[in-house]
Amino acid sequence: MAADSEPESEVFEITDFTTASEWERFISKVEEVLNDWKLIGNSLGKPLEKGIFTSGTWEERSDEISFADFKFSVTHHYLVQESTDKEGKDEESEDAIPQSMQDLLCMNNDFPPRAHCLVRWYGLREFVVIAPAAQSDAVLSESKCNLLLSSISIALGNTGCQVPLFVQIHHRWRRMYMGECQGPGVRTDFEMVHLRKVPNQYTHLSGLLDIFKSKIGCPLTPLPPVSIAIRLTYVLQDWQQYFWPQQPPDIDALVGGEVGGLEFGKLPFGACEDPISELHLATTWPHLTEGIIVDNDVYSDLDPVQAPHWSVRVRKADNPQCLLGDFVTEFLKICRRKESTDEILGRSTFEEEGREVADITHALSKLTEPAPVPIHKLSVSNMVHTAKKKIRKHRGEESPLNNDVLNTILLFLFPDAASEKPPDATASIDNSNPPPEGEDYTLYNQFKSAPSDSLTYKLALCLCMINFYHGGLKGVAHLWQEFVLEMRFRWENNFLIPGLTSGPPDLRCCLLHQKLQMLNCCIERKKARDEGKKTSPSDNVTNAYPGDAGKAGSQLGLDHLRDTEKEKGEVVKSWDSWSDSEEEFFECLSDTEDLKGNGQESGKKGGPKEMANLKPEGRLHQHGKLTLLYNGEPLYIPVTQEPAPMTEDLLEEQSEVLAKLGTSAEGAHLRARMQSACLLSDMESFKAANPGCFLEDFVRWYSPRDYIEEEVTDEQGNVVLKGELSARMKIPSNMWVEAWETAKPIPARRQRRLFDDTREAEKVLHYLAMQKPADLARHLLPCVIHAAVLKVKEEEILENIPSVKKIIKQIIAHSSKVLHFPNPEDKKLEEIILQITNVEAIIARARSLKAKFGTEKCEQEDEKEDLERFVSCLLEHPEVSVTGAGRGHAGRIIHKLFVNAQRAAAVALPEEELKRSGYPEERRQNSASDFPPPVGRELILRATVPRPAPYSKALPQRMYSVFTKEDFRLAGAFSSDTSFF
């Protein structure tokens, strides 16, 4: 059985030769891509305009195909053009040669400054490239190259595509391409030669003409004329007669408030090295014919001075070192440090005073605890200044900042310290420079930094300068420690901090600026309270700010109050008789003990006689013509407490606390009570100033819109005004009603303080002392970026560069988005700094070019404007034409630059020049000794000749040649007639 089944189980393999091979599949994929991109048939466009290859828009699209397991990328490069109307041109276009063949002869775009290499070599507006997909892969063997060329030839024939198709061969760095273009009865082969060294016979025009003629093999006896375009490129590297105008900063020149010629508070600017490394001059002869000029191995007519067309490009130094960019970058590096101030400066400074240090760390709790000892007797001041002496004693000469530097900075930050008399209470802002209201000044709103005339802004610049020039991180820590000690000194001695606007913290600024403003508020309150104790120990509250009180009273008329929700904020409050201890406010009940039992009841029932008989206290001034509703007494505006100023971190803490209370009825009630502390205080002040008043009286002053008056007719027929509380005030368990019932008639001076300036000041000082240099840098980095942007804008105005204006706007928009977040990412900050550095480099390049071309020395106004326009174009465009070539004003300057460089080189290297004079290139250069030998020679040869037979169609032929010291390339496009050969 098994033996019988053996012959049946055998499988015979049949080779099916109709199955597509890998090569056929590859060709099919190429055809599929060409069909998908609709590259079939001839699409004639309009003739190419001059310069369109540089000014026009190039686009590309890619796809991926594979030959067996070897992957190729197919890329279509094309110049975006307006579509042309094809109707009426069908008959003409049937026999027309492909667009790419016509482009071979176009002379409008020879030598484009910025384009794909195939565009430069062949002048094509559209082409497709097949190249290995992986960067490391390469088609090296000749058989594989021929196989790929055969594939594209078949694909072009099958699809009727008339777009040139190239295959990249050899290693990528060689940029070797072979290609083909097919049309109706015509074909163009794109060939290339690439050598390391140029053969001597091909270094000149006559040798290249021989190659071109032999390649096209024209059988006609009088050969059609060959059109020639030549470009010689000269490089100027030596700027002997021009020193780079930016001098490096002189670090030793600090004494007197200067660093490298820069005052404190002014950022440095400019490149430390010449940002322009080379000038490339391209001399072009665009339209020549054979026989007009001689260029062979012994003689050349190609004198660059006589060239009809000059164009210049500048090569920029790679990443030039820029002062402003380095300045900000070094400051950003502090943000990544982890050390505290003590670790940086050394803990030994406080070792001997360990016990006192412990006292300092607990100073906050000591100050906030109720204690019978007056605050001024606590030893905080003594401890801190003892510590300050210890620091100086231990450091000695090893201090990161010497005394001259430190004193200069402190005088810059605190100019009021130079005057002998103490700062005035109103001098909280430096009035020497009134704050401008321009766009630059308000930039801090967008950056969340600080105003450019503020102490915080100046501190940021000083720390930045210290970090860069003096002591680095240690210098920063030292200055910050001195700054914190100065803040404590000012708090204890009632000296206002200069350079800060008065009023509550500005939440548009950085947190550190808000903290300093908060400290200033505390000093202001403490100073007013202390002065009140000295001048008016009695209970006469109206003596605190007599001038301000009158001013406030004149502003608060009846009509003014009706238009606003709450006008009490305009009133200046008194703090003259307040105690430093929070517990002392209980003593105010000593002469009103009888109100304990029935005070609240009387408030409900409508003002009893006991309350009306109380002596009024804490009156500021009479409120216009308003009187109390029930007893007809004049209504007085009370002296009230100001609401507590808050920084953004305190607001966040308060929000979190209120949010944690939850949504229950009890939580909501507790939240309302916490939020109505200021309202309760104002009610108590109002009751004390207006004995016998009711809630309606308070509402008429505090919130006029909640008291509605209507005209009604009484029983006797008279029209009278009748008023009542609004609907929201009549809601049961209303917060206003509850607060009114619990409020007692206590003047503001005897109430518990809404804002405890002592506690808040100590919290701020503790916060400042705990800041590490990294935290400090994070706070101040927006100010530094703000200053850098202002510096760049200031420098740009002097140069007037349009592209820079656009980039600055982008920097401001980008920075506004990034800096508004509390902790921006380092990567995004680095991007902003890089943008600023790039702008600085552009401005430095503009100054370098202006110095080299001598725009300031130009006496004639027209020539000066032309030169400035020329320099501006050099920065904006990749290549700029020189008006008048070598005979124009700019051309003469460039010629002179080369002449001076040649003279300097001849003096420096006479022996080398003699040795090198044997080279043919040098011998031919003697006639043009004003210029060095050209670093690059480019030639384009064109002709329209019949190939391969005399009776074939005359078709375009083109050969491009370029050779430099280490590179020689020939790129030929040779067309032939496939119908009549």
Side-chain angles (χ1 to χ4, degrees):
M1 193 73 183
D4 292 340
S5 62
E6 278 181 9
E8 294 177 7
S9 63
E10 291 180 8
V11 176
F12 294 95
E13 186 176 347
I14 300 171
T15 304
D16 184 4
F17 290 99
T18 62
T19 307
S21 65
E22 292 288 353
W23 182 43
E24 289 169 314
R25 289 195 193 99
F26 176 71
I27 295 170
S28 175
K29 288 172 184 173
V30 174
E31 294 174 10
E32 187 181 335
V33 170
L34 294 177
N35 277 295
D36 287 346
W37 289 344
K38 296 181 175 58
L39 300 180
I40 311 305
N42 189 12
S43 57
L44 290 174
K46 60 181 181 180
L48 292 170
E49 298 172 6
K50 191 171 183 65
I52 190 69
F53 283 170
T54 305
S55 60
T57 304
W58 285 88
E59 289 187 2
E60 61 180 63
R61 48 188 169 183
S62 297
D63 205 342
E64 199 169 88
I65 60 175
S66 57
F67 193 135
D69 58 348
F70 195 93
K71 291 184 177 179
F72 289 91
S73 66
V74 186
T75 309
H76 178 213
H77 300 265
Y78 58 97
L79 179 67
V80 179
Q81 287 184 298
E82 296 177 6
S83 58
T84 55
D85 188 11
K86 294 181 180 179
E87 293 181 8
K89 296 184 180 179
D90 292 341
E91 294 179 3
E92 298 176 10
S93 63
E94 281 181 7
D95 297 328
I97 63 173
Q99 181 72 66
S100 56
M101 289 191 187
Q102 298 178 29
D103 289 344
L104 293 175
L105 297 177
C106 180
M107 294 185 179
N108 287 336
N109 292 284
D110 292 345
F111 316 114
R114 185 185 293 157
H116 191 281
C117 58
L118 290 174
V119 177
R120 188 176 184 84
W121 297 337
Y122 296 115
L124 302 172
R125 71 177 78 182
E126 184 177 23
F127 55 93
V128 176
V129 177
I130 300 177
Q135 291 286 335
S136 56
D137 290 342
V139 180
L140 299 175
S141 68
E142 189 176 351
S143 61
K144 288 181 180 177
C145 294
N146 290 332
L147 185 64
L148 286 172
L149 286 170
S150 302
S151 304
I152 65 170
S153 183
I154 294 169
L156 289 172
N158 290 344
T159 58
C161 174
Q162 295 187 11
V163 176
L165 198 54
F166 290 89
V167 175
Q168 185 168 12
I169 58 177
H170 292 287
H171 298 288
R172 281 183 183 270
W173 64 268
R174 295 191 66 179
R175 296 190 296 173
M176 286 283 289
Y177 296 90
M178 306 290 281
E180 189 173 313
C181 175
Q182 291 185 13
V186 293
R187 186 183 72 200
T188 301
D189 293 308
F190 297 93
E191 302 170 7
M192 200 167 291
V193 174
H194 183 224
L195 301 173
R196 285 276 192 183
K197 289 190 177 180
V198 56
N200 283 339
Q201 63 269 34
Y202 303 139
T203 59
H204 43 76
L205 175 61
S206 57
L208 293 169
L209 274 170
D210 293 340
I211 297 177
F212 184 62
K213 290 175 183 176
S214 64
K215 185 65 182 174
I216 60 178
C218 182
L220 300 178
T221 47
L223 188 69
V226 178
S227 172
I228 304 167
I230 301 176
R231 167 173 284 207
L232 305 181
T233 303
Y234 300 89
V235 174
L236 178 65
Q237 294 175 313
D238 189 9
W239 312 95
Q240 286 285 338
Q241 69 281 23
Y242 292 103
F243 294 102
W244 173 230
Q246 179 73 38
Q247 294 297 322
D250 181 9
I251 296 172
D252 297 327
L254 172 83
V255 181
E258 295 189 354
V259 179
L262 296 169
E263 296 177 6
F264 273 112
K266 292 185 180 178
L267 291 174
F269 190 87
C272 294
E273 56 187 307
D274 194 338
I276 302 294
S277 58
E278 294 177 353
L279 182 139
H280 291 210
L281 169 66
T283 58
T284 308
W285 290 262
H287 305 294
L288 295 174
T289 53
E290 186 183 359
I292 289 181
I293 61 162
V294 177
D295 182 49
N296 54 37
D297 58 345
V298 292
Y299 178 77
S300 175
D301 283 335
L302 299 174
D303 182 1
V305 178
Q306 302 303 322
H309 185 268
W310 276 21
S311 57
V312 176
R313 67 168 70 196
V314 290
R315 185 176 175 186
K316 300 154 188 173
D318 296 330
N319 301 319
Q321 184 185 358
C322 295
L323 287 172
L324 182 62
D326 288 353
F327 227 62
V328 185
T329 303
E330 288 300 318
F331 195 73
L332 177 63
K333 288 179 182 176
I334 301 179
C335 300
R336 303 188 182 102
R337 302 297 291 262
K338 305 292 183 185
E339 304 94 329
S340 67
T341 305
D342 285 344
E343 288 169 348
I344 293 166
L345 297 176
R347 295 182 179 276
S348 60
T349 53
F350 290 109
E351 277 176 4
E352 295 178 13
E353 300 292 333
R355 186 179 173 189
E356 289 185 13
V357 173
D359 290 342
I360 290 175
T361 59
H362 296 301
L364 181 61
S365 58
K366 277 194 173 188
L367 290 164
T368 52
E369 286 173 4
V373 184
I375 283 181
H376 66 273
K377 291 185 179 180
L378 289 174
S379 58
V380 174
S381 172
N382 298 333
M383 287 188 284
V384 172
H385 288 290
T386 305
K388 189 173 180 181
K389 289 174 187 174
K390 283 285 176 188
I391 291 171
R392 289 173 177 164
K393 179 182 172 184
H394 277 275
R395 284 183 188 151
E397 296 302 319
E398 296 178 4
S399 226
L401 296 177
N402 63 50
N403 286 337
D404 289 337
V405 177
L406 188 59
N407 290 337
T408 304
I409 296 172
L410 291 176
L411 279 175
F412 171 70
L413 294 175
F414 306 103
D416 59 341
S419 59
E420 294 183 3
K421 62 177 184 177
D424 188 22
T426 57
S428 61
I429 186 165
D430 185 9
N431 291 322
S432 58
N433 293 318
E437 293 300 326
E439 181 187 345
D440 289 350
Y441 184 78
T442 56
L443 203 60
Y444 73 91
N445 294 345
Q446 301 176 51
F447 285 8
K448 200 169 175 62
S449 56
S452 54
D453 55 354
S454 66
L455 174 66
T456 316
Y457 185 91
K458 292 178 182 177
L459 175 66
L461 296 186
C462 287
L463 288 171
C464 202
M465 198 164 279
I466 290 300
N467 178 56
F468 198 75
Y469 290 124
H470 301 277
L473 189 64
K474 282 192 173 183
V476 169
H478 184 186
L479 178 58
W480 177 242
Q481 199 167 53
E482 294 290 342
F483 184 86
V484 174
L485 290 172
E486 178 70 24
M487 291 298 100
R488 180 168 286 283
F489 175 80
R490 285 176 176 270
W491 157 246
E492 291 174 355
N493 293 278
N494 291 352
F495 290 156
L496 286 171
I497 305 167
L500 298 174
T501 52
S502 56
D506 188 349
L507 301 181
R508 299 171 299 175
C509 299
C510 64
L511 182 58
L512 188 67
H513 188 76
Q514 295 176 39
K515 292 288 183 184
L516 295 177
Q517 283 184 305
M518 173 68 92
L519 185 58
N520 230 17
C521 289
C522 297
I523 295 171
E524 217 170 307
R525 301 279 179 98
K526 180 169 174 275
K527 185 172 184 176
R529 189 172 65 251
D530 291 351
E531 286 177 356
K533 284 180 180 176
K534 293 174 187 174
T535 57
S536 176
S538 65
D539 288 341
N540 187 1
V541 298
T542 56
N543 292 337
Y545 296 102
D548 289 346
K551 179 182 174 185
S554 65
Q555 292 177 350
L556 289 172
L558 177 62
D559 296 334
H560 191 59
L561 282 170
R562 288 178 186 273
D563 294 337
T564 56
E565 176 74 20
K566 179 181 176 184
E567 289 294 334
K568 73 178 192 67
E570 296 291 328
V571 183
V572 180
K573 289 83 181 176
S574 171
W575 303 79
D576 54 2
S577 306
W578 280 21
S579 167
D580 286 331
S581 173
E582 291 180 357
E583 303 300 330
E584 290 190 16
F585 75 92
F586 286 113
E587 295 176 3
C588 69
L589 298 180
S590 57
D591 55 350
T592 53
E593 283 295 327
D594 57 324
L595 290 180
K596 274 190 177 180
N598 59 3
Q600 295 179 14
E601 293 295 327
S602 62
K604 292 179 186 177
K605 292 176 183 176
K609 293 178 181 179
E610 293 90 342
M611 198 165 183
N613 293 333
L614 284 175
K615 180 184 176 183
E617 291 184 281
R619 288 178 172 178
L620 186 64
H621 59 80
Q622 191 173 331
H623 186 298
K625 297 179 181 178
L626 279 186
T627 57
L628 299 180
L629 291 173
Y630 294 95
N631 60 13
E633 291 289 325
L635 190 150
Y636 283 88
I637 293 176
V639 174
T640 57
Q641 296 194 56
E642 289 183 11
M646 299 190 84
T647 56
E648 63 183 29
D649 58 335
L650 295 177
L651 287 170
E652 284 176 16
E653 285 177 21
Q654 190 183 60
S655 301
E656 287 177 11
V657 170
L658 294 175
K660 285 178 182 176
L661 292 175
T663 56
S664 64
E666 187 181 351
H669 184 72
L670 186 57
R671 189 183 300 112
R673 290 199 60 177
M674 288 176 66
Q675 291 175 318
S676 62
C678 187
L679 177 66
L680 181 64
S681 168
D682 293 340
M683 285 180 170
E684 290 184 339
S685 300
F686 189 82
K687 280 188 174 182
N690 298 280
C693 61
F694 283 79
L695 177 59
E696 287 84 349
D697 297 312
F698 177 76
V699 170
R700 287 163 69 208
W701 163 65
Y702 203 83
S703 179
R705 280 184 284 185
D706 280 309
Y707 188 76
I708 303 164
E709 290 184 327
E710 293 178 349
E711 290 185 352
V712 294
T713 306
D714 60 3
E715 296 173 356
Q716 299 173 357
N718 299 324
V719 177
V720 294
L721 283 175
K722 183 182 179 184
E724 61 178 353
L725 294 174
S726 64
R728 74 169 184 141
M729 290 292 178
K730 294 178 181 178
I731 299 171
S733 302
N734 185 300
M735 183 181 71
W736 288 60
V737 175
E738 285 188 6
W740 183 258
E741 290 173 352
T742 56
K744 299 169 186 176
I746 305 172
R749 61 191 172 79
R750 294 216 300 265
Q751 293 173 10
R752 176 169 180 159
R753 283 186 274 174
L754 291 176
F755 176 61
D756 188 345
D757 51 73
T758 307
R759 184 180 64 202
E760 292 301 328
E762 287 300 333
K763 282 170 68 175
V764 170
L765 290 169
H766 179 72
Y767 177 86
L768 297 179
M770 289 297 103
Q771 293 297 296
K772 296 179 180 178
D775 303 328
L776 183 63
R778 285 274 173 198
H779 285 308
L780 294 177
L781 194 61
C783 295
V784 173
I785 291 174
H786 177 189
V789 170
L790 289 183
K791 183 68 177 177
V792 164
K793 288 187 80 171
E794 175 191 328
E795 299 291 335
E796 186 278 327
I797 290 169
L798 301 175
E799 305 302 328
N800 193 21
I801 307 168
S803 64
V804 171
K805 285 186 173 71
K806 193 182 296 182
I807 299 171
I808 290 174
K809 287 181 180 177
Q810 293 172 358
I811 293 172
I812 292 173
H814 186 198
S815 304
S816 300
K817 293 176 185 174
V818 173
L819 298 176
H820 257 283
F821 290 98
N823 292 306
E825 297 175 14
D826 284 0
K827 189 178 179 182
K828 291 182 178 178
L829 294 171
E830 286 168 0
E831 287 174 4
I832 295 171
I833 295 169
L834 181 62
Q835 286 178 308
I836 293 171
T837 307
N838 289 339
V839 171
E840 184 182 13
I842 292 170
I843 295 172
R845 288 184 195 116
R847 289 179 176 171
S848 174
L849 288 172
K850 284 182 178 180
K852 290 173 176 58
F853 283 92
T855 54
E856 298 301 323
K857 298 175 185 176
C858 218
E859 295 177 358
Q860 296 185 15
E861 197 63 33
D862 294 343
E863 289 184 351
K864 185 176 181 180
E865 286 180 11
D866 290 343
L867 264 185
E868 286 179 350
R869 198 179 304 114
F870 176 72
V871 168
S872 177
C873 289
L874 275 176
L875 292 169
E876 305 283 336
H877 304 291
E879 193 169 282
V880 181
S881 295
V882 180
T883 307
R887 293 168 294 282
H889 183 61
R892 290 197 299 272
I893 293 174
I894 294 167
H895 186 188
K896 188 179 177 183
L897 288 172
F898 275 99
V899 169
N900 292 338
Q902 281 296 97
R903 285 176 184 167
V907 171
L909 301 168
E911 295 179 7
E912 288 189 19
E913 290 292 327
L914 291 172
K915 289 177 185 176
R916 287 169 52 194
S917 63
Y919 290 104
E921 184 65 36
E922 294 295 329
R923 287 202 304 275
R924 292 188 294 117
Q925 199 62 34
N926 290 337
S927 60
S929 57
D930 288 355
F931 289 83
V935 296
R937 292 171 66 92
E938 295 173 273
L939 286 91
I940 299 175
L941 306 177
R942 298 181 182 88
T944 305
V945 296
R947 277 182 86 223
Y951 49 80
S952 299
K953 185 187 287 188
L955 296 171
Q957 319 293 329
R958 171 180 170 130
M959 188 179 80
Y960 171 89
S961 163
V962 58
F963 71 85
T964 60
K965 272 188 176 182
E966 298 178 352
D967 192 70
F968 174 69
R969 188 184 301 272
L970 291 175
F974 303 105
S975 308
S976 56
D977 188 343
T978 57
S979 299
F980 300 98
F981 56 87

